[in-house]
Amino acid sequence: MLTLRGRGPRRGNSLSQLGIVKDGAVLVRDGRIAAVGPAAKVEKLAAARKAERVDVAGRVVLPGFVDSHTHLVHAASRAQEYELKIQGASYEEIARKGGGILNSVAKLRSATSQHLKWSARSALEVFASHGTTTIEAKSGYGLDVASELKILSLHKELSSEQPIEIASTFLGAHVVPPEFRGKARGPDEYVKLLTDWLIPEVASNGLAEFCDVFCDRGAFSRAQSKQVLAAGLRNKLVPRIHAEQLTRTGATQLAVEFGAASCDHLEQVNSSDIRALAKSETVATLLPGCDFHLGLKQYAPARKLIDAGAVVALATDYNPGTSPTMSMPMILSLACTQLRMTPAEAITASTINAAYSLGRHSRIGSLAVGKQADIAVFEVEDYREIPYYFGVNTCWLTMKNGQVIYAAA
Ligand code: NIG
Ligand code: FE
């Protein structure tokens, strides 16, 4: 049993400490962890004698994965662009021709809420079947008032209708929507729509906790991103940021200045960005699924970030354009072979550190008394086998608040 006990967030060497208990047991009461430790001790407790028993002998038990970066609600895949990319077109070329995010925007705008909900619900079941118990979900494929509110309302509805917890993020600043393109002032007018109208509307209706911006070439400049995050903060939305993915824009420094909860991607960071992150509380969230799916060679410098002392997290970035996966175990495999993170570091980055980036580390991300009984069980003998096996699912059981939400047949 990997308890991940101890304080979060984890930096440097402490990323390797999994708090392993051999022959462990967890006692769950009213959805929370009432006791955790060696089975011989836990089983002796009076409350344990009356408890229903789930025998997981011979398997590895750990906190449910926290997937802190997803674009859950979207209408369809972009398999056609996938093929174009394989044939040599770049992600940015496809985007410039109106594909990319704008392709997903057109599809989402014409999709019904019912279809979007059905597709998000099926995805949530797949998340659960790979050991994930909490996700963050971003809007950003609507980019007009009605469609963005439609996505955020779905986050809320889905939160109450199925077991996986959803932390909602407003990403109106994903790209400039088509109707604001083609005129010089268009992008700034769109930013004004976000800062003066949509962000206050989202916040006053309690539709999001976080405000994100895609700060990159072809998306929003540093100055525009600053305006968006500042408006978010004025409305009590905590900043997150898509930073240094395609080009280095200085978004990381902006994230640190704003005390962002998370700064995500980071393929193009330089050494001063790494130093700034290491000194901050902002989590460096790495998304190796993107580089894998886009066939890119340059992954984020995870080793340098960890060695410098940054709080590193991992996430799927589940989205139709750059990372169509709901599998945290696959992300762990990529983190190990491509980012050179050890299996232990990858597990810490996907549980307690990811929980910290969502402001939920006192409630989830480790197995400790009083925390939610969010638990994943893998059909492996050694925790290193979770990333070791790839392209197959070794998740055996997933529990959310003490309820089984997935069991392998
Ligand atoms: O996290 N970088 C921007 N947003 C997504 C990609 C979205 C898309 O291509 O649809 C990402 O990689
Ligand atoms: Fe993203």
Side-chain angles (χ1 to χ4, degrees):
M1 183 165 71
L2 318 178
T3 63
L4 279 294
R5 66 175 166 249
R7 289 185 152 269
R10 306 287 193 81
R11 303 173 190 261
N13 290 339
S14 71
L15 271 151
S16 308
Q17 288 153 24
L18 296 177
I20 297 180
V21 179
K22 225 174 155 347
D23 299 323
V26 190
L27 179 66
V28 177
R29 189 175 196 160
D30 299 330
R32 291 183 178 268
I33 297 176
V36 52
K41 270 196 182 164
V42 173
E43 280 167 2
K44 277 201 196 103
L45 298 170
R49 282 187 222 120
K50 296 173 279 173
E52 181 192 335
R53 193 184 164 91
V54 182
D55 190 353
V56 300
R59 303 185 174 89
V60 171
V61 175
L62 70 158
F65 290 125
V66 177
D67 191 345
S68 56
H69 184 141
T70 87
H71 302 251
L72 174 70
V73 178
H74 53 263
S77 92
R78 301 215 301 266
Q80 199 193 343
E81 293 181 2
Y82 177 58
E83 188 165 29
L84 292 174
K85 280 176 271 193
I86 293 162
Q87 289 161 343
S90 78
Y91 178 70
E92 283 183 279
E93 272 159 27
I94 292 170
R96 276 196 296 274
K97 289 184 187 143
I101 295 170
L102 291 181
N103 175 352
S104 290
V105 169
K107 285 179 174 146
L108 186 134
R109 287 180 178 179
S110 61
T112 63
S113 265
Q114 198 187 10
H115 168 76
L116 294 171
K117 193 195 258 189
W118 168 83
S119 124
R121 270 196 91 122
S122 340
L124 286 161
E125 283 173 19
V126 182
F127 279 105
S129 72
H130 289 79
T132 296
T133 46
T134 299
I135 68 163
E136 180 263 13
K138 304 176 195 295
S139 68
Y141 290 125
L143 309 186
D144 63 29
V145 175
S147 312
E148 284 295 301
L149 295 178
K150 175 161 91 176
I151 300 170
L152 296 172
S153 306
L154 282 173
H155 292 167
K156 205 169 199 173
E157 284 176 37
L158 287 161
S159 294
S160 63
E161 294 172 11
Q162 58 76 54
I164 294 198
E165 180 175 347
I166 301 172
S168 181
T169 296
F170 177 59
L171 177 59
H174 202 183
V175 287
V176 176
E179 53 281 16
F180 285 84
R181 287 175 178 241
K183 26 180 189 170
R185 298 279 313 143
D188 289 322
E189 281 168 25
Y190 181 62
V191 170
K192 206 164 161 46
L193 170 74
L194 294 177
T195 57
D196 296 6
W197 159 238
L198 206 38
I199 288 176
E201 181 72 10
V202 165
S204 65
N205 287 296
L207 290 173
E209 226 176 292
F210 300 100
C211 179
D212 197 339
V213 51
F214 182 17
C215 181
D216 215 320
R217 185 167 67 197
F220 294 90
S221 68
R222 217 183 117 122
Q224 290 165 334
S225 302
K226 208 167 174 167
Q227 285 177 278
V228 171
L229 296 183
L233 272 180
R234 283 198 297 278
N235 289 275
K236 303 203 163 52
L237 300 182
V238 177
R240 312 184 81 77
I241 189 160
H242 282 70
E244 337 291 6
Q245 180 188 17
L246 308 167
T247 52
R248 185 180 175 277
T249 60
T252 302
Q253 308 283 346
L254 193 64
V256 171
E257 252 172 64
F258 270 84
S262 183
C263 183
D264 303 37
H265 284 291
L266 307 177
E267 282 83 346
Q268 314 293 336
V269 282
N270 67 18
S271 49
S272 81
D273 299 332
I274 294 174
R275 275 197 303 276
L277 281 169
K279 276 191 269 165
S280 77
E281 304 294 311
T282 298
V283 176
T285 301
L286 310 182
L287 311 167
C290 291
D291 307 295
F292 174 75
H293 180 76
L294 297 177
L296 302 176
K297 301 279 174 287
Q298 192 177 341
Y299 285 77
R303 279 265 54 92
K304 285 186 181 161
L305 284 159
I306 293 172
D307 297 342
V311 181
V312 168
L314 288 165
T316 59
D317 194 11
Y318 170 60
N319 80 74
T322 64
S323 192
T325 184
M326 304 86 164
S327 168
M328 281 304 292
M330 178 67 196
I331 297 304
L332 263 59
S333 299
L334 293 172
C336 291
T337 60
Q338 308 305 305
L339 302 181
R340 299 279 154 196
M341 290 171 71
T342 63
E345 289 172 333
I347 288 170
T348 305
S350 309
T351 53
I352 192 65
N353 278 7
Y356 178 76
S357 94
L358 297 181
R360 283 161 168 72
H361 53 297
S362 58
R363 199 150 54 73
I364 57 174
S366 65
L367 302 180
V369 172
K371 279 195 156 181
Q372 284 176 210
D374 291 5
I375 300 171
V377 182
F378 279 78
E379 181 77 280
V380 292
E381 288 177 8
D382 178 318
Y383 74 84
R384 290 171 290 200
E385 291 172 357
I386 299 173
Y388 166 85
Y389 288 107
F390 70 94
V392 289
N393 188 15
T394 57
C395 182
W396 188 74
L397 188 93
T398 311
M399 261 188 192
K400 180 72 185 176
N401 290 313
Q403 303 288 325
V404 174
I405 61 167
Y406 167 76

